[in-house]
Amino acid sequence: MNLEFKGKIDALISEVAAIPDLMTKIAVLNYIQQESGFLLWQLEDEQRIDEDSRDY
């Protein structure tokens, strides 16, 4: 993983960890999980399309 991306992710995690309100922290983490799951789904779909195009 690119160290620049790792640093940004670590900074975001630290920022979320510093949220004092537990319910807000849970909401933020749930949102991050939802969005990252959607991004992963998109990437997997792109990978399948790419692999299918190589089969021809």
Side-chain angles (χ1 to χ4, degrees), residues 19-49:
I19 296 172
D21 180 64
L22 181 60
M23 296 309 291
T24 301
K25 189 183 298 187
I26 290 170
V28 169
L29 289 172
N30 283 334
Y31 180 74
I32 290 171
Q33 184 178 26
Q34 174 187 343
E35 291 301 305
S36 64
F38 180 68
L39 180 59
L40 181 59
W41 174 81
Q42 285 181 316
L43 292 173
E44 289 171 346
D45 194 45
E46 288 177 23
Q47 185 178 26
R48 280 190 296 274
I49 290 169

Side-chain angles (χ1 to χ4, degrees), residues 3-4 6 9-12 14-16 24-25 35 38-39 42-46 50 52 54-56:
L3 289 179
E4 182 180 347
K6 185 181 182 314
I9 293 168
D10 290 345
L12 177 60
S14 294
E15 189 172 336
V16 171
T24 301
K25 189 183 298 187
E35 291 301 305
F38 180 68
L39 180 59
Q42 285 181 316
L43 292 173
E44 289 171 346
D45 194 45
E46 288 177 23
D50 186 56
D52 289 346
R54 291 181 193 181
D55 291 340
Y56 294 104

